[in-house]
Amino acid sequence: MDSTNPLLWFGLTTGGILLVVIWVLLSLAFLLLADRKIWAGVQMRKGPNVVGPFGLLQSFADFFKFVLKEIVIPAGADKVIFILAPLISLILGFVGWAVVPFAPGWVVSNLNVGILYLLAMSSLGVYGIIMGGWASNSKYPFLGALRSAAQMVSYEVSIGLIIITVILLAGSMNLSTIVEKQTGWFWNWNVFGGAGLKNIVLLPVMVIAMGMFYISGLAETNRPPFDLPEAESELVAGYQVEYSSTPYLLFMVAEYSNIVLMCAMISVLFFGGWNPGFPIGFTAHWPPFLVNFLLALVFYAKIVFWFFMFAMAKAIVPRYRYDQLMRLGWKVFLPTSLVLVAAVAAWRVFGPGA
Amino acid sequence: MPVQAIAFYLLAFVTLASGLLVVSAKNPVHSVLFLITAFFSAAGLFVLLGAEFLAMLLIVVYVGAVAVLFLFVVMMLDIDFAALRQGFVNNLPIGGLVGLVLVGEMIAVVAAVSSNGAAAKQALPNASPGGVPNTEVIGRVLYTDYVFFFQLAGLVLLVAMIGAIVLTLRHKPGVKRQDIGKQVARTPKTGMELVQIKPGEGISE
């Protein structure tokens, strides 16, 4: 989307942003329903099935219910920060999508430091939660906020180190370049050691890295089994206790947007992004728009698959205790990811592909 | 250029205004939040200069980690605001002196640059010399040219970390700790004991 005419550029970028936001919001509506359906399926319930066919319109009904309720602000709350917190959460939940490449050339901002940008935005996400918990001026939200701050800062460290292994494989921090390096057969995907069959030696290293990224992603987005900031058996609903109506809705939408963004990150970093896993030479004479659209669908399918994995983790795994969570982050993931970085770096320097 | 100028003045104004509010806000938590705003707009200024790597690092390191810990500590402190205000007049002379020294230094730097100083010939800092992205340039300087100094800095940090741990780590006797290996290795044989009790006698320890 580069153009010499600033007005044209402005229009194109705004259109792209609107398209992405609407796409994400619509996807969230149905993924939220899918989440509840999967959860219900594991527990042998039916899940929401009243509003619309198969309950497909449940999320929209919930949306109107949230929006039409009264916003209650506690008397002792810090009003400005109380309202600001969910807004910041929502904005930070959506700005990360700016650098996600959906298909060749289909990206709002083709940033050179795309991965760092994503890391920065996901590390900022903690502020919405801390501010919300503190501004509520209540004990449970505050405890939830403190837990969340410690948890997200801890798991960012291992996420950052795992991302370094991918950067080492791709030799770039641009997300589009990282995806392009994984073109062709599926063994070019980073989870199989990156481009070229000789790198298959890295398969065990990258599979461990992928698994740790998935688990750290669960912790970073406060998903079960690491949902201690909102553990309902101890903290009622954690940082969201005092929130009602639309501000609560904003928190929830932000949370799910972050989860889907994390799924997109796993797909881009380890599973080839828009690449279907086999050479697509036969599409050479197709119109480019159609090819891009199909590739975007492939990417979307990967996101949905990883969302399914997130939902299954929520349904199956019991919640961690807080000290176990910290132990896992600092004593298991941090040293392991350091070793992985060393292994990948050594292969890149001394291996046959050097 | 007008878009860049607008962006620059907006970011610069936000940086300065939130910097002022950091020291003048009554609530320390608000101060930290304004500090974060200042960091954030400073990152925006870096992006305007073309130094996108520094901008992202500023956000990841300072906003994402350091300021979170700041906020963490400040929120947990029990601060008496009235007591905090009392020292203001007493410390005013020292604060004023420091401020004066800083202003003097800034004037010296500006004067040196405008009168053919070190960076006078450079209209704009060159973010990507020779077309190489600044991420790569920083990497080359840090890990190739100055690798030993970089390692040394890392060692200093390691020593600081070990020092903090040595000062605070205590092994209290009688604290029950969880040993997951031990817990998992437990079998019915080691975890349970079958005792034949004679009627009317009970078990002695």
Side-chain angles (χ1 to χ4, degrees), chain B residues 53-91:
Chain B
F53 183 69
L54 276 184
M56 292 306 148
L57 276 199
L58 186 68
I59 292 182
V60 172
V61 176
Y62 280 93
V63 183
V66 175
V68 171
L69 298 180
F70 260 35
L71 203 59
F72 202 99
V73 172
V74 169
M75 283 196 314
M76 306 239 275
L77 288 179
D78 186 21
I79 299 171
D80 185 2
F81 298 118
L84 215 63
R85 304 262 128 215
Q86 276 173 356
F88 185 71
V89 183
N90 294 341
N91 293 328

Side-chain angles (χ1 to χ4, degrees), chain A residues 277-301:
Chain A
F278 46 84
I280 48 165
F282 57 88
T283 61
H285 300 294
W286 296 11
F289 179 81
L290 184 69
V291 177
N292 272 5
F293 186 71
L294 288 179
L295 292 179
L297 279 187
V298 168
F299 182 47
Y300 193 46

